[in-house]
């Protein structure tokens, strides 16, 4: 509500208008006037008063009809209306209040009564305006909150999808940048790591399903965090087999070193697990294969079930090296061995005919880290 408050005085008797105007201006209010109902409607839309002092008995449009039209106009803000009648006609007062009037006075009105009713209605107007302002602010906040919640939900969903194969910090980095175009099909030089358990198939055939699930749970719980620690991309997580690659989708300066360090950390973790499994009568080993080369990478799948994977000879080579590895062995391709010479102690194994590959490959094994 403005200060000073603006009051519209409507009466077809100019003397009554002058009296009301004089008394209200003396109280510091701004006064505008109208002499009939039609002019009153026009003045309301022009000036948007904070209060209307409205005579009921007027030519053209009476005060009751004016009240009805104003209260029905949703484009107007809340404006309290004090109805003024020349006599204490109950029918007129009731009709005016039912039309939407907020209070009434009878003429001739006393100065004190006029001032008291005006003060009362303006307090109501002020409270209403405060509540309306707060309602709009709250609505605006709610809209903003809904937008933020929606964006956050979408972000969490994207992070959830990315975390299926990326370390949490990498997933959050991609989402924060808002660019998932890196998952489009592309070609890149990567380092692929395969690992699985030795003797797991035989174990699964004879052990109870609950024990098989327990072993897998211990295995995944132990090795999974290591993949995240070394910021590898986990793309295959089937039973005891894991496929991890480096240098994609986030390029890194030392993919071979990371892969070999991860392989050694996995071997140590698996050896600790194997001791516990052996106590329970399970002879289970662990092997790793690591290779480097170009692959085509991107998303595959369908709506609601999308994976990120790599396709190429380097993937087959890493998988075959893993198959050829004995318990505790980390077999690496010749290119990987040359790249990690300063990081790890590597020994040649010689040429091995790997299943699915036409020519024997020169293979090395990682003894340990330097």
């Amino acid at each position: 509500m403005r200060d000073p408050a603006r009051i519209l005085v409507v009466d077809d008797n100019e003397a009554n208008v002058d009296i009301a105007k004089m008394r209200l201006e003396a109280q510091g209010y701004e006064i505008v006037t109208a002499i009939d109902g039609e002019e009153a409607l026009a003045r309301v839309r022009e000036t948007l008063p904070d209060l209307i002092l409205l005579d009921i008995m007027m030519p053209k449009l009476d005060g009751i009809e004016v009240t009805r039209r104003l209260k029905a106009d949703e484009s107007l803000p809340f404006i309290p209306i004090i109805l003024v009648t020349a006599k204490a006609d109950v029918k007129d007062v009731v009709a005016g209040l039912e039309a939407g009037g907020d209070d009434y006075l009878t003429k001739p009105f006393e100065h004190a009564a006029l001032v008291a009713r005006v003060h009362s209605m303006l307090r109501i107007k002020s409270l209403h305006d405060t509540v309306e302002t707060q309602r709009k602010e709250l609505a605006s906040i709610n809209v903003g909150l809904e937008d933020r919640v929606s964006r956050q939900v979408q972000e969490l969903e994207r992070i959830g999808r990315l975390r299926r194969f990326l370390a949490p910090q990498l997933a959050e980095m991609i989402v924060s940048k808002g660019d998932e175009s890196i998952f489009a099909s592309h070609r890149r030089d990567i380092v692929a790591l395969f690992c699985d358990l030795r003797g797991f198939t035989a174990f699964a055939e004879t052990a109870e399903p609950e024990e098989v699930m327990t072993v897998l749970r211990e295995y995944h719980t132990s090795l999974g965090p290591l993949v995240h620690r070394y910021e590898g991309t986990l793309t295959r997580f089937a039973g005891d087999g894991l496929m991890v690659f480096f240098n994609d989708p986030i390029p890194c300066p030392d993919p071979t070193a990371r892969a070999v360090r991860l392989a050694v950390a996995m071997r140590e973790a698996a050896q600790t697990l194997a001791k516990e499994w052996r106590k329970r009568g399970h002879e289970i080993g662990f092997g790793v294969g690591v290779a480097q080369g170009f692959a085509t990478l991107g998303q595959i799948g369908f709506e609601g079930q999308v994976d990120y994977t790599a396709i190429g000879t380097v993937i087959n080579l890493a998988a075959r090296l893993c198959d050829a590895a004995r318990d505790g062995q980390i077999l690496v391709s010749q290119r990987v061995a040359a790249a990690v010479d300063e990081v790890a102690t590597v020994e040649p194994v010689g040429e091995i005919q790997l299943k699915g590959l036409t020519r024997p490959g020169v293979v090395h094994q990682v003894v340990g880290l330097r």
Side-chain angles (χ1 to χ4, degrees), residues 114-132:
L114 172 64
V115 171
R117 296 292 176 85
V118 167
H119 283 174
S120 176
M121 285 295 103
L122 288 177
R123 279 197 301 271
I124 293 174
K125 166 67 172 172
S126 178
L127 290 172
H128 183 278
D129 288 355
T130 298
V131 170
E132 183 64 14

Side-chain angles (χ1 to χ4, degrees), residues 138-154:
L138 182 59
S140 176
I141 291 172
N142 285 339
V143 170
L145 181 60
E146 289 175 1
D147 290 342
R148 288 197 298 274
V149 169
S150 178
R151 288 195 300 270
Q152 289 172 352
V153 168
Q154 292 173 2

Side-chain angles (χ1 to χ4, degrees), residues 279-335:
K279 292 177 182 178
R280 297 184 340 229
H282 310 316
E283 290 296 332
I284 303 174
F286 178 75
V288 185
V290 183
Q292 183 173 11
F294 280 89
T296 298
L297 304 105
Q299 290 185 340
I300 60 171
F302 53 90
E303 185 176 356
Q305 185 62 51
V306 177
D307 285 321
Y308 187 73
T309 193
I311 297 174
T313 302
V314 62
I315 303 301
N316 295 332
L317 178 56
R320 297 302 174 243
L321 288 170
C322 177
D323 292 341
R326 299 188 304 273
D327 178 23
Q329 265 193 322
I330 301 172
L331 297 184
V332 301
S333 66
Q334 189 171 10
R335 185 178 173 189

Side-chain angles (χ1 to χ4, degrees), residues 11-286:
D11 200 310
D12 60 333
N13 186 314
E14 292 187 7
N16 291 337
V17 170
D18 291 340
I19 292 172
K21 181 179 179 182
M22 177 184 66
R23 291 180 175 179
L24 294 174
E25 283 181 339
Q27 297 296 315
Y29 300 122
E30 176 189 346
I31 307 300
V32 292
T33 63
I35 61 172
D36 58 49
E38 290 183 351
E39 185 181 4
L41 292 175
R43 296 291 276 167
V44 168
R45 290 177 174 82
E46 290 171 4
T47 64
L48 291 179
D50 299 302
L51 174 65
I52 303 173
L53 201 62
L54 179 63
D55 188 25
I56 291 180
M57 301 300 295
M58 292 185 299
K60 298 182 182 180
L61 287 178
D62 63 19
I64 295 173
E65 181 60 25
V66 171
T67 300
R68 186 176 291 112
R69 294 189 186 186
L70 291 176
K71 295 296 184 178
D73 190 342
E74 295 182 356
S75 67
L76 294 173
F78 169 69
I79 305 174
I81 298 175
I82 298 177
L83 298 167
V84 180
T85 177
K87 55 184 178 179
D89 191 326
V90 176
K91 291 182 179 180
D92 285 345
V93 172
V94 171
L97 295 176
E98 289 180 344
D102 300 283
D103 204 346
Y104 74 96
L105 279 169
T106 56
K107 294 187 289 187
F109 37 70
E110 296 180 357
H111 174 73
L114 172 64
V115 171
R117 296 292 176 85
V118 167
H119 283 174
S120 176
M121 285 295 103
L122 288 177
R123 279 197 301 271
I124 293 174
K125 166 67 172 172
S126 178
L127 290 172
H128 183 278
D129 288 355
T130 298
V131 170
E132 183 64 14
T133 299
Q134 293 173 343
R135 184 193 67 78
K136 290 180 179 178
E137 290 175 351
L138 182 59
S140 176
I141 291 172
N142 285 339
V143 170
L145 181 60
E146 289 175 1
D147 290 342
R148 288 197 298 274
V149 169
S150 178
R151 288 195 300 270
Q152 289 172 352
V153 168
Q154 292 173 2
E155 182 173 307
L156 289 173
E157 290 175 348
R158 289 197 296 272
I159 291 178
R161 291 195 299 270
L162 296 175
R163 277 184 169 176
R164 293 178 58 189
F165 46 82
L166 286 177
Q169 62 269 29
L170 297 183
E172 290 168 7
M173 181 194 305
I174 292 172
V175 171
S176 66
K177 291 181 178 179
D179 180 16
E180 296 187 28
S181 62
I182 58 176
F183 296 120
S185 181
H186 59 281
R187 182 174 168 83
R188 182 170 290 165
D189 188 23
I190 66 169
V191 178
L193 179 154
F194 272 80
C195 67
D196 62 17
L197 297 173
R198 315 286 89 157
F200 181 77
T201 301
F203 158 69
E205 289 177 352
T206 58
E208 292 296 332
E210 293 79 5
E211 182 62 15
V212 175
M213 289 293 291
T214 298
V215 166
L216 284 176
R217 188 178 302 112
E218 293 169 346
Y219 173 63
H220 294 153
T221 301
S222 181
L223 270 63
L226 296 176
V227 178
H228 289 168
R229 182 188 304 170
Y230 290 93
E231 298 186 344
T233 301
L234 178 62
T235 63
R236 186 172 300 171
F237 197 87
D240 64 318
L242 303 181
M243 170 182 166
V244 182
F245 53 77
F246 293 84
N247 205 41
D248 189 89
I250 301 295
C252 61
D254 54 348
T256 49
R258 290 192 187 206
V260 168
R261 289 191 178 102
L262 172 61
V264 172
M266 284 179 158
R267 178 171 62 185
E268 292 173 354
Q271 289 173 344
T272 300
L273 289 172
K275 292 179 181 178
E276 295 300 318
W277 294 336
R278 200 170 294 115
K279 292 177 182 178
R280 297 184 340 229
H282 310 316
E283 290 296 332
I284 303 174
F286 178 75

